[in-house]
Amino acid sequence: MNLVLLPLFAVLTGNDYINLPVLETFFSKVNLPVGNASHGGRRRHTRIHGLLNWLSRFADVEEAMENVLNQLRVKDRDSVRQLLYSAMEEYSLHDAENLEQYFQRGFYISPTAVKLNLPEWVQLALARGELSPLLSDALVLRRVFLHAQVEDIKKSSAHLITKPVRKLIYALLLNISQDMAKRSKELRVQEFERLETNVRRSMVEISSDDISEGFSLSNLPQLPLETRLKLLLRGLDVKMKAVEVVPPPYRLILAIVCYWSRRADPKVKQHHIKALIMGMVCGEAGSAQNKPGKKMFLFSTNDFYYNFRARLSVPSPAPPESGFTGCPVVYEHEEALASLCEQIKRMRTEGAQPRRLILEDVHILCQWQCCLQVFIYFNQLLSTPLPEPDITRSCAHTNPRTGSCRVHRMQGQDFNGELYSGSLVYHMTQKLKASSSAEDFFVSCPWLEKLYRDCIHAVMCTVPRDHFQNRTRGPSGKSKKKGKVGKKGVNPQGADVLENQPQCDFSNRFAGLLLED
């Protein structure tokens, strides 16, 4: 196929910036060559293979474009042509010069990465697709699309909660070398996010004050573990001592829960925290049930003891970290675990039933997903100073390039030890509101009950004592608020430079988020 057709191939295949339903009409009508059988019959792989072969018939972009548009309705052709050409401008054929050696030898040098003078380890990560979209887009394009979820459109975007850590991430990414902050007076990343049912564009400005002395993208992997951990904890605004009481695989997750519980708006209630941790422990139960042999290991640190399932198949694995001691213990409550997993499956089924959603709860959980996603990316950027949880069993958002296949799974899949299931946690939230006895869900499995209680204890120790107290009410019945009311239009979260006019077009991707009351 002619290389000049690669941008057209890319936009027809679909990505973050273009995903037109009308193109399904094209694929349904065009007679694509049959894909290679080696792809195992997967529909997407077959489509890609067939589209490459179909485009190879044409000599240039104009000829191929006309053949694409001929498959569409006449009234749609002009608008689709304009959108396709606009999307193709995102691609540079200069970057495709080394594609042949990449497919033949597995080696690729990005001209853009070289032009930006990116460190070798970053170039290698980009070529292998190991950097998350948030990191790669901010680094290369200097712009990021913050995908909306099914949230309360009358409130600020759920991504607002992670703005401080995103700014820290951008500062690390754009400070490519230690002297860059001195040479660059102003560094910016453009963000696109939801504003009600439209798209808002804002500029996040990075000043030299935001760049910590001694930190740069070039030397990031060489920094001592203690230094990288300190930087991660700085973003999380939590002390390591607060999460050391739980097993290492849970420390990052609980630190993120601590961040979310203090910063979410509307304010997180106790039942939200309990439901979220109950969902995580349910995932642990599912993973334990599916683990062959169901071997457990008794880990201890200080006065905390855990029957924590073995993640290694060897008879006596080494302790995951100094401070924990372990010895193999055969799980004695297999029937109780099986019964519990059946209850979890029933709750998942109930949670997946259509219902009228409470928008406040939905919006709070959306903010949790934003925190989970961004802090996992931050941890990866710092070469995982905290052990990364088993996020391969879940997914995050519906769009693949947002990390969706790695952080969260909502519905439509069998229970198999998920880190987070939105429908399950939402359902548990409602049950906890109705009755505190719902918290006794794990009493039949003592090791899960202990894990749940200690996770709750770790989080609650980081939350101010009066955090969950209702505001006092005066004689008039109105809640008293401290401080004076600020001027209208002041943004308490920070000073972004905003393009106040929403970025609207006929394909507004947020219009469908409006939920009926």
Side-chain angles (χ1 to χ4, degrees):
M1 186 184 76
N2 193 334
L3 283 180
V4 299
L5 295 172
L6 277 178
L8 179 59
F9 164 75
V11 298
L12 289 176
T13 303
N15 53 42
D16 269 1
Y17 307 105
I18 180 170
N19 187 16
L20 288 178
V22 71
L23 289 180
E24 289 300 320
T25 303
F26 160 74
F27 284 109
S28 66
K29 291 185 177 181
V30 69
N31 185 21
L32 296 179
V34 178
N36 194 326
S38 64
H39 294 304
R42 293 186 62 179
R43 180 173 178 268
R44 183 169 179 80
H45 288 171
T46 303
R47 174 182 287 187
I48 290 173
H49 191 268
L51 183 59
L52 285 169
N53 280 282
W54 184 79
L55 289 173
S56 65
R57 304 171 181 175
F58 310 113
D60 52 39
V61 175
E62 288 74 18
E63 182 184 1
M65 180 69 76
E66 290 306 315
N67 278 272
V68 170
L69 298 175
N70 286 341
Q71 309 297 326
L72 307 179
R73 294 180 300 181
V74 175
K75 66 176 184 179
D76 294 331
R77 293 177 184 177
D78 288 339
S79 58
V80 172
R81 178 190 286 107
Q82 181 181 357
L83 189 57
L84 289 177
Y85 273 120
S86 176
M88 288 166 59
E89 294 176 1
E90 298 290 333
Y91 297 90
S92 171
L93 288 177
H94 182 60
D95 291 346
E97 291 178 354
N98 300 315
L99 281 179
E100 184 175 351
Q101 66 175 350
Y102 173 76
F103 287 108
Q104 291 180 350
R105 305 176 186 175
F107 180 74
Y108 176 75
I109 298 177
S110 169
T112 301
V114 173
K115 183 178 179 180
L116 292 173
N117 197 28
L118 298 181
E120 184 178 349
W121 75 269
V122 177
Q123 294 188 36
L124 190 60
L126 282 171
R128 292 175 176 175
E130 294 174 349
L131 288 184
S132 70
L134 177 77
L135 303 182
S136 60
D137 286 353
L139 184 61
V140 178
L141 302 176
R142 302 290 175 90
R143 66 174 179 266
V144 171
F145 195 98
L146 303 174
H147 293 263
Q149 304 172 70
V150 182
E151 53 193 79
D152 187 349
I153 61 168
K154 296 179 181 178
K155 298 186 183 297
S156 300
S157 168
H159 289 281
L160 185 62
I161 192 174
T162 58
K163 177 185 168 183
V165 71
R166 291 201 311 273
K167 190 172 184 179
L168 182 58
I169 291 173
Y170 299 154
L172 286 172
L173 289 173
L174 302 186
N175 187 30
I176 296 174
S177 60
Q178 294 190 32
D179 61 340
M180 186 170 181
K182 300 177 182 177
R183 292 185 284 106
S184 301
K185 293 183 178 180
E186 194 175 70
L187 300 172
R188 294 181 175 182
V189 173
Q190 191 178 51
E191 290 186 335
F192 293 87
E193 62 181 330
R194 178 189 64 79
L195 176 61
E196 296 182 348
T197 57
N198 296 309
V199 181
R200 178 183 72 172
R201 178 175 59 190
S202 62
M203 299 299 298
V204 180
E205 297 184 356
I206 310 298
S207 66
S208 57
D209 295 335
D210 297 315
I211 301 174
S212 301
E213 186 176 354
F215 292 100
S216 70
L217 192 61
S218 300
N219 71 357
L220 208 52
Q222 286 76 42
L223 293 175
L225 173 62
E226 182 180 353
T227 304
R228 289 182 281 116
L229 178 59
K230 183 178 180 180
L231 187 58
L232 176 63
L233 295 176
R234 170 188 160 190
L236 286 162
D237 191 23
V238 70
K239 295 181 179 179
M240 189 62 192
K241 185 178 179 181
V243 295
E244 279 182 336
V245 297
V246 297
Y250 280 86
R251 291 177 181 172
L252 176 60
I253 295 299
L254 284 188
I256 300 173
V257 174
C258 295
Y259 178 96
W260 163 74
S261 63
R262 296 193 305 267
R263 293 176 178 266
D265 183 22
K267 188 165 68 173
V268 169
K269 308 294 193 304
Q270 289 193 48
H271 52 257
H272 294 122
I273 297 175
K274 291 177 179 179
L276 184 60
I277 295 179
M278 286 177 70
M280 295 176 188
V281 178
C282 284
E284 187 65 34
S287 296
Q289 188 189 40
N290 288 284
K291 185 73 175 179
K294 301 182 181 63
K295 293 274 186 174
M296 311 306 298
F297 286 82
L298 181 64
F299 292 112
S300 65
T301 176
N302 301 326
D303 295 329
F304 292 83
Y305 295 87
Y306 299 91
N307 285 314
F308 196 63
R309 71 179 181 84
R311 282 176 167 77
L312 300 175
S313 58
V314 294
S316 297
E321 186 175 299
S322 60
F324 279 80
T325 57
C327 59
V329 180
V330 177
Y331 190 67
E332 299 177 352
H333 304 281
E334 292 186 18
E335 292 185 2
L337 178 62
S339 175
L340 177 65
C341 288
E342 286 300 320
Q343 294 181 54
I344 296 171
K345 287 182 180 179
R346 288 196 294 270
M347 289 192 68
R348 281 178 51 81
T349 301
E350 293 173 7
Q353 298 301 316
R355 68 185 67 196
R356 186 182 297 274
L357 298 176
I358 299 175
L359 291 184
E360 179 175 301
D361 293 336
V362 170
H363 201 74
I364 288 172
L365 293 179
C366 284
Q367 291 175 83
W368 156 251
Q369 292 187 85
C370 293
C371 293
L372 179 62
Q373 181 191 48
V374 170
F375 276 109
I376 284 179
Y377 291 162
F378 190 26
N379 191 51
Q380 291 172 349
L381 177 63
L382 298 174
S383 301
T384 59
L386 283 180
E388 190 170 276
D390 185 8
I391 54 178
T392 56
R393 65 194 186 201
S394 312
C395 55
H397 299 293
T398 53
N399 191 295
R401 290 191 74 245
T402 66
S404 59
C405 57
R406 305 199 63 199
V407 182
H408 159 67
R409 172 166 42 191
M410 283 296 292
Q411 59 184 4
Q413 301 185 32
D414 292 335
F415 169 69
N416 188 29
E418 298 172 336
L419 175 65
Y420 173 69
S421 169
S423 57
L424 177 62
V425 172
Y426 178 86
H427 186 55
M428 286 181 164
T429 299
Q430 310 314 312
K431 281 189 167 293
L432 286 166
K433 282 182 181 180
S435 173
S436 60
S437 63
E439 195 177 358
D440 301 327
F441 192 67
F442 304 108
V443 290
S444 61
C445 296
W447 71 280
L448 290 175
E449 174 73 10
K450 180 65 175 175
L451 178 61
Y452 168 72
R453 295 294 175 184
D454 290 331
C455 286
I456 290 291
H457 174 76
V459 174
M460 292 303 182
C461 285
T462 67
V463 179
R465 292 183 179 180
D466 60 346
H467 183 77
F468 301 110
Q469 293 180 1
N470 294 326
R471 291 172 177 171
T472 58
R473 294 182 177 271
S476 64
K478 297 182 179 179
S479 60
K480 297 180 180 180
K481 298 182 180 180
K482 296 181 179 180
K484 297 180 179 180
V485 178
K487 294 181 179 180
K488 186 177 181 180
V490 174
N491 180 7
Q493 294 292 336
D496 273 352
V497 180
L498 302 181
E499 300 280 348
N500 292 322
Q501 294 299 325
Q503 307 298 304
C504 305
D505 59 27
F506 65 89
S507 59
N508 186 342
R509 303 172 66 178
F510 298 115
L513 297 177
L514 183 61
L515 298 178
E516 295 181 0
D517 293 329

